[in-house]
Structure formats: structure tokens, C-alpha cells
Amino acid sequence: MKFKSEEKQKARALQQKGASAEQITTTLQQKDAKAEQIVTTLQQKDASAEQLVTTLQQKDASVQQIVTTLQQKGAGGEIAATSQQKSGTRLKKTQIPLFEFDTPQESGISLPAPNGSKISRRTLLAGMATAVVLLVQTSAGKAFQAALPERELYDDPTKKLGPPPGKLGTRSPHEKLFKQPSDTSSRTPLQDLYGTITPSDLHFERNHAGVPAIDPEKYELLIHGMVEKPMIFKLADLKRFPSVTRTCFLECSGNFRTGKETLSPQEICGLTSQAEWTGVMLSTLLREVGVKEKASWFLAEGSDAAVMTRSIPLSKGLDDAMIVYAQNGEAVRPEQGYPARLLLPGWEGNTSVKWIRRIELSDQPFMTREETSKYTEPVNGKYRQFSFTMDARSIITFPAYPAKVEKGWIEIRGIAWSGRGKISAVEVSTDAGKSWKLADISGPVHDKAHTGFRYLWQWNGEETMIMSRALDETGYTQPTYKQLQQARGAGGGYHYNSITSWVVKRDGQVLLNPDRA
């Protein structure tokens, strides 16, 4: 009997399991049905999306036809636009007043509001879907319709959040500003700049053994030689002295190129830049160490692998020489001498020794490599040494190669500078040097600094030659290339500051005149 009872219990358990299995099967079937419904819905949505894409493509084609028609007819017209917005079962219409095409070349369409201001695109884009219908009336009185595609509307940057504030500012990707590098230097794109301050990352470079990596915590500047009290200054020590800020240019003494028509201002004389410099006057440091009476020169030595050295007259060190640690409001960049450099305003760039580590006072020059075999220039069969000062110079940066201009009014722009002091005037010739007119000086005029100039010129479309020449406060006038050759008895070399001439062709192309550069 016990056996039969156990069999009955097993039978009932199996029946219950069978019922559970049926329930599971039913549930799965229901889930399959729901899955099929989801798939069907997605397929329907895909079909709707395909229809939407087709519609947008058709609308794009319609707008293309409008633009083509307007360009062909070249007629003034009037436009009214109706914005139909669908939100539930309601339709909202916005009437856009008339718009006039001034010239057949105009391809942009502006939609003014009744009060004269532009209608917000948010108004046009509100709702689930938006289509703007343009009613275009030509001068012949014919009207036709077309749709402005949604893709065009959503290109508006006001419809998309931009990136949040960042740690470091960047240029727009549309602005292509670069230095032109070589093995030993890189040139500033003068033709692409505005004003007279050079962005720090575009400041020209001239290195003799690359850019050294210097730890500012370990940086030291030694001043010794003919002094009462030799001293070592750390970077923090330099920053504790009263600071001075000034704006001035730097220029390599070999800043001259010519020889072909297709040279830009960057290639001709891009080894000059201007910055705002901050640091301590060298005279302040020299007072700290005490200069001996017979000292008349000092050696400036850098920390680069070339151990760049130059002999400098002490009079310059006591005048306007600086030890600078900041450039354009930030620490001097490594390419410009971080963490500190010597700055000698108005003098050839190599004397403003970068990464300066040692100053030794003496009663005579040290005759280093960079002032004997290098940085000297031939003059009438001899070699001129210690030609420190950069003479007055100017260059037209627009129009200049590779620019192309059109007949009519053109603003000639450029920069002028002099290591002897301030620029007093800039003259411009638009007839190959036959006559000269005073240009307007733009912006502040600083001592030993780039100074902007401009001249408004109406070009008649005929081929001509334009040029500029600088005059400084000492009365010096920028010479021609031939005048420099006659004075020195040789062409090329250092300190060539001749007038640069640009040929403006009839087709508007601007080329360098290498014979008059």
C-alpha cells in the first residue's frame, strides 16, 4: 500500500510540472508575439525614416533649383516665407516679409522680422518637424515655391551646444597660422598677422644647437669678473627685484632673402617679431654686484649646447638691457630663452642671448666665435665687426605674395621698425618709386619697436610696382638695394635692410621684384 501511495504522489507532481511547462510555453509564445510586434514597429519606423530622407533630398534639390534659377535670371525678387509647424493636431504659421536680392551673385537668404530684426531660428525650428516654404517672386512677376531643407537650418551653431570652457585657449581650425621652419630657424608669418604684437607661439626662432630643457628650480645666473661682489641669482631672486615691462622687436641680423618672385614677407624677412617683455633691468643687477671702474665690456653666455657667447659693451648693459622672464603676459617660452634671457632692444638678435647663465665683466671684448668668424659683414674689402644696431626697415605685408587683389580701393598695410629709436614716418610709392606719399601710422609708436602703417590706394588695374620706406627719429632713411651695394661694395650678408618692392600684375597677382628687393 505504501508503494502505491508514493506512485500517486509522483504522478501528481508530474502533472503539476506539466501544467507549469504549459504556462512557460504560453509565456514564451506571448513574448515571441511581442517581439514580432517590436520588429514590425521598427520596420515601420525604418520605412518612415527612409521616407523622411527621401523628402529631405527632394527639398534639397528644390532649393538647389531655386538658387540656380535666381543666379540665371539675376533679377531682384521678393520672398515671403511660411513656417508650418506641426505639434499634435495644431498648425502654426509665421509670415516672413519681403526680401530683395540686390545682385545676382548673392547666394545667402536673410529672413527679416516685421520689426526689422532677424527672426529667431528657434522660432522656425520649434515643434516636432519644420519645413519652411519660400515664395519667390522674380522681376517678371512669376512666383514659385520651394522648401528650405532642415539640414540647412540645423547648421546654425545656435542649435548645438559648444564645448565647455577649457584649460587652454586654441585658435579656430579655420585659421592656418604657422611658422616656416628650417634646420636652424623658423620664420614668423608677417603677412598673416594683425597689429604689431607677435603671438608667442609664432615668434621667430634662431637656434645654434636646439632648444635646451632647463628646470626653473635649478636655474642660476652668475655675474662675476670685474665686479666688487660676484653673485648668483636664482629665478626667484630675479623676480623679487622691481620689474619693468616694455614692447620691442627682435630681429636676426641675417634677416634678408631675395632671388625669386614667389617669396612672401615671411620668407623675405620673417626673422623679426615683436613682444611685450617683462623682467629686471640689467643695470639693477649690476648695481647689486658693483661694477669696477675699468670694466667696459661684458660676456653674455647661454645654457644651450652651443654655449652661445657674445661680447657686449657695458654702456648698453647700463642703458636699456634687461634680463627678461616673461613674454606677452606669460613665462618666456622655451624657444625664446626660458626661464630667462638677455634682451638688448634694437640690437641684432644674437646678442640677446637666450637661456642666459653667465655674465662676466671685462675691460675688453672676448672675441668669441660669434663675433669673429660669424656675424661680421664685408664692407669695401674689409670686414665690419660689432655692427650691433638694426637699421630702419619696413615691408608691405598686404598686398604681397601670395595675395591677389581686384581693381579699386586697396588698403596697403605693413610694419616699420628701427633699432635706433622711434619710427618718425613711412612713405609709400605706388608708381615704382617715381613719387612717394606719407602713409598713416596706425597704433602706438614705441621706441625700437614694430610700428604699423597703412595707405589707401585706388588701383586702376594697370601693372605697377608698390614699395615702402621707413624714416626714424635720427633722420635715417631706409635705402634701396643698389644703395647698399654701392656703400658696401658687395651684395647680401648681414644687416641688409633694403626697400622691398612688389609688382602688381594686371590680373591682380602680387609678386616680389627680386631686382629691387
Side-chain angles (χ1 to χ4, degrees):
M1 293 295 291
K2 183 179 180 180
F3 175 77
K4 288 183 178 180
S5 175
E6 291 176 353
E7 288 293 325
K8 287 181 180 180
Q9 289 177 357
K10 288 181 180 180
R12 281 196 296 269
L14 289 172
Q15 288 175 350
Q16 291 174 353
K17 288 182 178 179
S20 299
E22 289 179 3
Q23 291 174 356
I24 292 172
T25 301
T26 301
T27 301
L28 290 174
Q29 289 174 345
Q30 291 173 349
K31 287 184 177 180
D32 286 342
K34 288 182 180 179
E36 289 178 2
Q37 291 175 0
I38 291 172
V39 171
T40 302
T41 301
L42 290 174
Q43 289 173 342
Q44 292 173 350
K45 288 184 177 179
D46 285 343
S48 299
E50 290 178 1
Q51 291 174 0
L52 180 59
V53 170
T54 302
T55 302
L56 289 176
Q57 290 173 343
Q58 292 172 349
K59 289 179 179 179
D60 281 345
S62 299
V63 170
Q64 294 288 343
Q65 292 173 1
I66 293 174
V67 173
T68 302
T69 302
L70 288 175
Q71 290 175 341
Q72 291 172 350
K73 294 189 176 182
E78 293 182 339
I79 297 177
T82 302
S83 173
Q84 297 180 341
Q85 300 175 324
K86 185 175 181 182
S87 179
T89 58
R90 297 180 59 189
L91 289 176
K92 182 179 179 181
K93 294 184 179 180
T94 301
Q95 295 295 331
I96 310 296
L98 301 180
F99 173 84
E100 181 178 347
F101 287 98
D102 293 328
T103 63
Q105 286 80 19
E106 291 200 43
S107 59
I109 296 178
S110 176
L111 303 177
N115 61 5
S117 61
K118 290 186 177 180
I119 284 183
S120 168
R121 291 197 175 192
R122 288 188 175 86
T123 302
L124 295 175
L125 294 174
M128 293 294 294
T130 302
V132 179
V133 179
L134 299 179
L135 304 177
V136 180
Q137 184 176 8
T138 68
S139 58
K142 295 183 180 180
F144 54 94
Q145 296 185 10
L148 183 65
E150 288 181 304
R151 176 176 56 80
E152 297 287 340
L153 296 176
Y154 283 103
D155 282 345
D156 189 337
T158 65
K159 303 302 175 288
K160 182 180 180 181
L161 289 175
K167 293 183 178 180
L168 192 65
T170 59
R171 285 193 183 90
S172 165
H174 300 287
E175 300 298 322
K176 310 296 184 184
L177 297 176
F178 299 101
K179 291 188 288 189
Q180 185 183 70
S182 68
D183 291 340
T184 58
S185 66
S186 59
R187 296 170 176 264
T188 296
L190 299 176
Q191 69 279 356
D192 298 325
L193 302 183
Y194 301 94
T196 57
I197 296 294
T198 307
S200 296
D201 61 346
L202 295 177
H203 196 288
F204 87 90
E205 297 176 54
R206 173 65 174 97
N207 304 325
H208 293 78
V211 179
I214 300 174
D215 184 348
E217 296 297 324
K218 298 179 181 179
Y219 172 79
E220 292 181 345
L221 169 61
L222 168 65
I223 301 182
H224 68 133
M226 297 181 70
V227 300
E228 299 295 341
K229 183 176 60 176
M231 295 182 67
I232 293 177
F233 299 91
K234 292 186 174 295
L235 184 61
D237 298 328
L238 298 177
K239 293 180 178 179
R240 277 197 290 267
F241 286 100
S243 64
V244 174
T245 297
R246 69 164 299 162
T247 298
C248 67
F249 74 88
L250 279 174
E251 182 180 16
C252 176
S253 61
N255 190 27
F256 177 78
R257 277 185 180 178
T258 187
K260 62 179 182 178
E261 295 179 326
T262 54
L263 290 178
S264 68
Q266 180 176 28
E267 295 169 303
I268 298 168
C269 60
L271 293 179
T272 183
S273 302
Q274 177 153 284
E276 179 190 79
W277 304 96
T278 299
V280 57
M281 298 301 297
L282 179 56
S283 58
T284 300
L285 301 180
L286 293 178
R287 281 196 297 270
E288 285 291 308
V289 299
V291 178
K292 291 187 176 181
E293 184 178 353
K294 293 185 178 181
S296 56
W297 289 78
F298 69 87
L299 179 76
E301 182 180 271
S303 301
D304 58 336
V307 193
M308 177 69 179
T309 49
R310 283 304 311 261
S311 298
I312 308 297
L314 179 59
S315 57
K316 182 67 171 178
L318 295 173
D319 180 20
D320 58 359
M322 297 175 65
I323 301 296
V324 296
Y325 46 75
Q327 171 188 8
N328 293 339
E330 63 174 353
V332 170
R333 298 208 167 190
E335 298 85 355
Q336 301 308 318
Y338 181 85
R341 71 175 297 168
L342 177 64
L343 178 69
L344 304 181
W347 283 23
E348 58 185 23
N350 65 84
T351 61
S352 292
V353 176
K354 295 184 283 188
W355 315 291
I356 189 163
R357 70 173 185 176
R358 188 169 70 93
I359 292 176
E360 181 180 356
L361 276 73
S362 177
D363 58 358
Q364 59 185 333
F366 290 78
M367 297 299 177
T368 70
R369 172 183 179 273
E370 308 302 337
E371 55 206 25
T372 52
S373 67
K374 304 296 180 183
Y375 298 112
T376 58
E377 60 270 359
V379 176
N380 295 323
K382 297 182 179 181
Y383 276 84
R384 185 170 65 173
Q385 191 179 20
F386 301 124
S387 52
F388 297 117
T389 305
M390 301 303 296
D391 292 318
R393 190 176 186 182
S394 69
I395 186 170
I396 292 173
T397 56
F398 181 85
Y401 179 82
K404 193 170 185 179
V405 296
E406 295 181 357
K407 178 181 177 181
W409 288 103
I410 298 171
E411 185 182 62
I412 296 174
R413 300 189 297 271
I415 54 174
W417 62 99
S418 173
R420 300 180 184 275
K422 295 180 179 179
I423 289 294
S424 59
V426 177
E427 296 177 333
V428 170
S429 174
T430 58
D431 56 6
K434 296 176 183 176
S435 64
W436 294 87
K437 302 290 180 62
L438 276 176
D440 293 325
I441 299 298
S442 56
V445 180
H446 293 297
D447 182 60
K448 302 166 187 174
H450 286 174
T451 301
F453 68 86
R454 62 181 185 272
Y455 179 79
L456 196 58
W457 170 50
Q458 188 175 24
W459 180 42
N460 60 11
E462 295 297 320
E463 181 173 322
T464 189
M465 192 183 303
I466 62 174
M467 59 190 76
S468 66
R469 65 184 181 190
L471 295 82
D472 67 24
E473 60 184 354
T474 68
Y476 180 92
T477 300
Q478 183 181 2
T480 65
Y481 186 75
K482 289 183 179 179
Q483 287 173 330
L484 281 178
Q485 284 184 317
Q486 291 171 357
R488 296 182 183 179
Y494 299 105
H495 289 264
Y496 254 73
N497 61 319
S498 59
I499 292 171
T500 299
S501 305
W502 301 103
V503 177
V504 182
K505 298 287 188 179
R506 288 188 176 183
D507 63 358
Q509 189 177 16
V510 184
L511 299 170
L512 174 68
N513 179 16
D515 296 330
R516 297 280 297 273

